[in-house]
Structure formats: C-alpha cells, structure tokens
Amino acid sequence: MGMNKYRLFLVEDDDVIAREIKLHLEKWGYEVHCAEDFGNVLAEFAARSPHLVLMDIGLPFFNGYYWCSQIRQISQVPIIFVSSAGDNMNIVMAVNMGGDDFVVKPFEPEVLSAKVQAMLRRTYAFRGQTNVMEWDGLILDLTDASLLVEGQKLDLTKNEFRILQLLFENAGRTVSREAIMKRLWDNDCFVDDNTLTVNMTRLRKKLEGAGAGQLIHTQKGLGYIIGE
C-alpha cells in the first residue's frame, strides 16, 4: 500500500456537511470514513486506524474536545478541529486538548484540503524517508522504535525493532535468517540461530496480541516475509 492513499476519519454529525467534506476530500485521492456511532467514536477511530482526524466540536453525547482527549491517550495522529463560529472556537482549548489545527465553518473546501495536505505532509512526508516506515496501515516509527497498530503503540526491544525494520525495508521479498542475524550482529547484538527463533516467537506473540498476527510469514527453509 502506497503512502499516497491516506485514510482520514471524519467526525461530523451533520450528514449534509459530512457528505460534502467527504466528496471533496475523495477528489484529492484521500480515503474518507465518516463516524457513525457518536457514542463510541474512539472504537471507530481504533478500527479505522486513520492517518488524520477531522473533528467537529459540537457533537451529540460528548463534544469534539472530549473525543480528542480520548484519542490522544492512544495515538499521536494529527487532529484538525472543525467548528462553527458559534462554537466559540477556543484556540487555547483546542491546543490544550491535543488538537493540531482547526478550521471554522463555513469554510471553502479548498481551505480544508490545503490544511489536510499540509498537516499530512508535516506529519508523514518529511519524516517519511527517514523516520517512519509503513506497511498496510502499520507504521514503524524509527525515532522511538515502536510499531503503531490501529492507533495502539507497541514498544519493541532492540532486536525486535531491527528485525521489523529489515522486513519492512524488504516488504514483499523474503529475508533469510542469515540476513537478519547479520543485521543484528552489525549492531553489536550477538545472535545465534536459537536466539533468533526465540526473538521471532516473542515478536510474533506481541504482534498477535495487538491484532497484527498476520504480519510476518515464515517461508520454510528460506526465511521470513512481510506481505505476499
């Protein structure tokens, strides 16, 4: 999956506005999911694992600030607040709650897409080449050696991180056990065949626990591969 197909999660309870925003952003090639259950926005967020959230402030049940703070407990994904002028949009409040930007209704669709584009570029593209690798919605963060699965951060050991990094770099290609051991040796982790097996087993258990058990496939006698 290429990085150009960003997933956006739109939390807007006015169907007309939601549809307008969705259609406009889809024209730009984004994948847009609209929240459906406003009593449980966090679960939908986790299931969608989006790259960016557009969050209305005036919502049924709980307001956008509340959901923003809930999302912030599990994810650093960029959040843009969408507010009506009547919401008494409080910039300080938005920033304190973990929002990254905001746009006030009524707005030109172009203004929104420009903000979305800038935010995605700032968050992913500049880091993209160096600090983040992505495969099928899973994001490997090289800055803090963690894997983001459905908005949930998995902390990895040094070895687990280096194994995943090598597999991500070669996504779609088989990586031999020798290549993995060499990568670990180059980084002063002395690993024999046995230790590698233990490491792989532990890493897979960790992935499974987060619902990403299908990430790494074993190719008997050849090595491991991410993706077919």
Side-chain angles (χ1 to χ4, degrees):
M1 160 178 157
M3 275 309 271
N4 55 351
K5 197 67 168 164
Y6 285 109
R7 288 185 303 280
L8 313 183
F9 181 49
L10 172 61
V11 188
E12 163 63 75
D13 62 320
D14 181 321
D15 285 346
V16 177
I17 296 175
R19 197 160 37 242
E20 265 172 33
I21 293 177
K22 181 175 161 73
L23 284 171
H24 175 74
L25 290 171
E26 283 174 344
K27 276 216 275 290
W28 281 88
Y30 299 117
E31 196 180 304
V32 184
H33 295 289
C34 296
E36 285 161 20
D37 178 2
F38 292 97
N40 206 350
V41 170
L42 192 64
E44 287 192 12
F45 165 83
R48 296 287 181 208
S49 184
H51 295 99
L52 179 142
V53 176
L54 291 163
M55 180 71 72
D56 191 21
I57 291 175
L59 294 166
F61 306 115
F62 303 96
N63 67 20
Y65 295 131
Y66 170 82
W67 290 120
C68 178
S69 67
Q70 290 285 298
I71 289 171
R72 274 293 164 262
Q73 290 175 20
I74 59 168
S75 171
Q76 287 308 308
V77 66
I79 296 175
I80 298 179
F81 279 115
V82 179
S83 83
S84 311
D87 277 337
N88 181 12
M89 174 69 201
N90 185 330
I91 299 169
V92 176
M93 176 86 157
V95 173
N96 284 346
M97 292 311 254
D100 296 284
D101 201 350
F102 58 89
V103 52
V104 179
K105 290 186 272 197
F107 50 79
E108 293 299 316
E110 287 69 33
V111 170
L112 182 64
S113 47
K115 278 183 183 281
V116 165
Q117 213 167 353
M119 185 64 68
L120 287 168
R121 207 171 29 231
R122 216 160 51 227
T123 311
Y124 301 102
F126 293 140
R127 294 175 17 189
Q129 278 54 57
T130 51
N131 300 342
V132 180
M133 303 178 85
E134 193 257 8
W135 171 259
D136 200 20
L138 302 175
I139 295 171
L140 186 65
D141 193 330
L142 311 189
T143 46
D144 66 355
S146 68
L147 185 70
L148 211 60
V149 184
E150 305 280 350
Q152 175 194 353
K153 218 178 178 80
L154 286 191
D155 292 317
L156 305 165
T157 66
K158 264 202 186 84
N159 281 356
E160 290 167 347
F161 170 66
R162 294 202 170 109
I163 291 169
L164 273 183
Q165 193 181 358
L166 188 57
L167 289 171
F168 268 72
E169 284 165 10
N170 293 283
R173 295 195 294 269
T174 304
V175 180
S176 70
R177 290 175 64 91
E178 288 69 34
I180 297 175
M181 287 192 275
K182 182 176 181 328
R183 166 68 64 101
L184 297 175
W185 278 329
D186 288 349
N187 287 286
D188 302 327
C189 306
F190 297 104
V191 174
D192 58 20
D193 205 51
N194 209 9
T195 321
L196 179 59
T197 305
V198 173
N199 273 291
M200 286 305 290
T201 308
R202 215 176 342 190
L203 174 57
R204 285 184 141 147
K205 266 220 174 64
K206 202 176 271 190
L207 291 169
E208 217 161 275
Q214 289 310 301
L215 180 62
I216 302 172
H217 302 278
T218 304
Q219 300 203 304
K220 276 273 176 282
L222 295 174
Y224 303 97
I225 185 170
I226 283 185
E228 297 305 348

